Amino acid sequence: MSSPDPQVRAARNLADPSPESTPTKNRPRSRGPVVAVTGAATGVGALLTAHLAASDEVRRVMAIDERLGDVPEATWHILDVRDPAIAGKLRGADVVVHLALDLDLETDPAARSAYNVRGTQTVLTAAAAAGVRRVVLCTSAMVYGALPDNDLPLSEDAELRATAEATGVGDLLEIERLGRRAPRAHPGLDVTVVRPAVLVGGTDTALTRYFESPRLLVVAGSRPAWQFCHVDDLVTALEYAALERIDGEFAVGCDGWLEQEEVEELSGVRRMELPSAVALGAAARLHRIGLTPSPAGDLAYTMHPWVVSVSRLHDAGWRPRWSNEEVLAALLEEVEGRHTVAGRRLGRKDATAAGAAGATVALLGTAALVRRARKARRRF
């Protein structure tokens, strides 16, 4: 039998750090809720499943995924969340935490949206049919939108002004719409929405790749502000929602934020400043010809603030274990050795050149990619 995934071990330690209190199948369980977790075999879903399985406040954990995960204390159901048969698997659950989302940069956007939206629709309908009283959805603070006139910080009940131009954000907005409609369509079903800031810890997004670049791209005249959320803190916030200590819509992340100058000082990575038209135009062209996975809309989240207050969690008694400075340090350690220019991962040879020559080579390399793609198209 293979050893548990390091993230799962970390979740178990987070839940109960003392070895002698490690959970076993024979431990008496509380009269707490039965919690079902979708997407339970990987990522945040695996961490939460292990964390809840270690909790004395949870009676039982039902884990749902397309493959078996490494949390034997949970009851596993192997199926696609878009399968209507999931309704039968959810019977007996009090709460469903829906984490079966595909936000991979490399996934075909149409296939990603079909999975995310259809999966959420099916889970909400199935939960209502199974008599579940609460569904917890996890989206992102990106739904507020990154705009130059945003307050610092935004209120959690601020208008959602994001558009579908950034990776996966259109899906998240649709998931939030489905969440708002569900209690009206299914009386008795409560929906809680959790919106993490820039998520760090085993994640690969356009925003984490930003820190893999040889220079940090800064768009001239922009006002970046960075608020992070470590996966450990997201897990405990999701636990609060599953245990019904908090409801409604709320954000989760570190307290406060870092200005761009602080990020550069802490990281030791210098900036590459470009005019807005150049940066956005290049990003749009590279994405259009298929050379980078990130659309130009992703750049807005590195240009404008979208920091959100986490006052609702604070009022419920939750506190983050990580600071923005600590999460940034963890992110830099995690991405060490990876090299990205314009959202595109470079091979070792290209990365060496980019690291040696800095911003100029990065720009020339981007231009070369465009020229290479044009020549390839002319040959056909």
Side-chain angles (χ1 to χ4, degrees), residues 168-194:
V169 174
D171 295 356
L172 300 180
L173 289 168
E174 180 61 17
I175 288 168
E176 294 237 358
R177 188 184 69 83
L178 292 169
R180 287 192 298 272
R181 288 178 47 193
R184 297 196 297 269
H186 308 290
L189 179 67
D190 177 66
V191 176
T192 297
V193 178
V194 184

Side-chain angles (χ1 to χ4, degrees), residues 79-344:
L79 80 166
D80 189 313
V81 291
R82 295 169 293 181
D83 187 340
I86 194 173
K89 309 301 182 185
L90 293 178
R91 294 199 183 280
D94 300 300
V95 179
V96 176
V97 184
H98 178 48
L99 299 173
L101 296 178
D102 181 1
L103 297 175
D104 193 316
L105 287 170
E106 311 296 340
T107 302
D108 173 73
R112 181 175 59 218
S113 293
Y115 178 82
N116 291 336
V117 175
R118 181 60 180 166
T120 302
Q121 286 176 322
T122 304
V123 167
L124 288 167
T125 302
V132 173
R133 65 174 180 255
R134 170 177 290 210
V135 173
V136 180
L137 303 176
C138 186
T139 61
S140 167
M142 293 177 78
V143 296
Y144 290 101
L147 299 159
D149 62 344
N150 274 347
D151 292 334
L152 261 173
L154 288 162
S155 166
E156 288 167 286
D157 58 7
E159 180 185 357
L160 305 188
R161 298 199 289 164
T163 65
E165 295 173 354
T167 303
V169 174
D171 295 356
L172 300 180
L173 289 168
E174 180 61 17
I175 288 168
E176 294 237 358
R177 188 184 69 83
L178 292 169
R180 287 192 298 272
R181 288 178 47 193
R184 297 196 297 269
H186 308 290
L189 179 67
D190 177 66
V191 176
T192 297
V193 178
V194 184
R195 298 169 179 153
V198 179
L199 192 60
V200 173
T203 58
D204 178 24
T205 67
L207 294 168
T208 58
R209 286 192 184 188
Y210 175 83
F211 293 92
E212 298 176 16
S213 300
R215 295 289 184 268
L216 298 178
L217 173 63
V218 176
V219 176
S222 64
R223 184 177 58 126
W226 293 91
Q227 180 187 31
F228 298 101
C229 177
H230 196 276
V231 289
D232 288 353
D233 285 334
L234 176 57
V235 165
T236 57
L238 289 168
E239 178 190 32
Y240 262 60
L243 295 176
E244 302 180 87
R245 295 175 181 165
I246 187 171
D247 56 17
E249 301 164 348
F250 63 91
V252 54
C254 302
D255 293 329
W257 63 89
L258 298 175
E259 303 286 354
Q260 183 70 24
E261 292 77 13
E262 294 177 284
V263 167
E264 293 169 21
E265 182 179 353
L266 290 166
S267 67
V269 182
R270 289 180 290 172
R271 69 169 58 196
M272 174 178 67
E273 191 161 319
L274 292 176
S276 176
V278 172
L280 292 170
R285 287 193 297 274
L286 289 171
H287 183 66
R288 187 168 59 248
I289 63 179
L291 288 179
T292 62
S294 297
D298 286 346
L299 265 183
Y301 290 88
T302 70
M303 294 170 58
H304 308 303
W306 48 291
V307 173
V308 189
S309 164
V310 293
S311 60
R312 289 179 181 164
L313 269 171
H314 276 246
D315 290 346
W318 178 92
R319 295 293 183 273
R321 297 190 178 192
W322 292 73
S323 68
N324 282 303
E325 292 84 355
E326 290 169 337
V327 180
L328 176 59
L331 172 57
L332 293 170
E333 183 178 351
E334 188 173 304
V335 303
E336 186 176 2
R338 301 178 194 166
H339 299 275
T340 295
V341 171
R344 177 180 179 267

